[in-house]
Amino acid sequence: MSDLQQYTPGPAFGARIQKDRRQNGEEKWTLVLVRELHHAPEKVWQAITDPVHLREWAPFEADGSLGTAGATVKLTTVGAPAPRVTETTVTRADAPNALEYNWGGFEMKWQLEASGGGTRLTLWTNIGHRFIAMGAAGWHICFDVLDHLLGGTPIGRMVGPDAMKFGGWQRLHTEYAKQFGIETPNWPPQAKPE
């Protein structure tokens, strides 16, 4: 049995939604996720910017480093039914504190703060309100995989359709939807036993 097969995510935590009005009156939803990691900001920075590290935990692959402002990088969504490649320009890279770019039309803003010998990692990403609980569940699992990777006990990336078939993702999706006060769709795929 692999480490991933033994993995069970904890309860939904560390996420909230922020709602803003755009100039056209449309409501913009931003998912804000906060995770305490027991690793130095420099180590976390490398994991969120280096393509080799991203390949181990993130829901996308990068063809170059995200660690330099002005860099143009192609991000490929993992597990998409059809290839989905987004070219992005890193708009901010203040190592090891702040990183900003777009992925698939969604703003990605990362903040790393030294905290108790580790790092408080905060991600802001705008997601449509119908998918925000799904995004929270997916990022929750990604951050668990990241934490294991940084701790030297990698469990393997779980993203996209594979994550959605996982019973832990479905439970998290329901928990986050309840926390956010939104309905969950009735279409999740059948769960694999945890």
Side-chain angles (χ1 to χ4, degrees), residues 31-54:
L31 175 62
V32 183
L33 299 139
V34 179
R35 183 64 68 99
E36 299 288 336
L37 300 170
H38 302 290
H39 313 284
E42 293 78 11
K43 191 172 183 178
V44 176
W45 176 263
Q46 184 176 17
I48 68 170
T49 60
D50 181 87
V52 172
H53 286 85
L54 289 165

Side-chain angles (χ1 to χ4, degrees), residues 34-45 48 96-97 111-122 146-147 150:
V34 179
R35 183 64 68 99
E36 299 288 336
L37 300 170
H38 302 290
H39 313 284
E42 293 78 11
K43 191 172 183 178
V44 176
W45 176 263
I48 68 170
N97 304 306
Q111 180 178 327
L112 293 78
E113 300 172 276
S115 172
T119 302
R120 174 176 293 120
L121 178 64
T122 305
L146 172 61
D147 196 34
L150 293 175

Side-chain angles (χ1 to χ4, degrees), residues 127 130-139 164 169 173 176 182 185 187:
I127 297 178
R130 291 180 40 223
F131 303 104
I132 206 155
M134 293 171 66
W139 282 110
M164 292 171 67
W169 180 90
H173 179 217
Y176 282 117
I182 59 175
W187 54 263

Side-chain angles (χ1 to χ4, degrees), residues 3-63:
D3 290 335
L4 187 57
Q5 290 172 322
Q6 295 176 354
Y7 163 71
T8 301
F13 75 98
R16 63 183 170 84
I17 51 177
Q18 179 179 306
K19 299 177 190 176
D20 300 304
R21 287 268 176 218
R22 294 184 177 174
Q23 288 181 345
N24 64 4
E26 185 180 303
E27 199 169 56
K28 175 183 170 185
W29 288 45
T30 301
L31 175 62
V32 183
L33 299 139
V34 179
R35 183 64 68 99
E36 299 288 336
L37 300 170
H38 302 290
H39 313 284
E42 293 78 11
K43 191 172 183 178
V44 176
W45 176 263
Q46 184 176 17
I48 68 170
T49 60
D50 181 87
V52 172
H53 286 85
L54 289 165
R55 199 171 299 121
E56 298 295 321
W57 70 272
F60 56 80
E61 294 193 358
D63 75 345

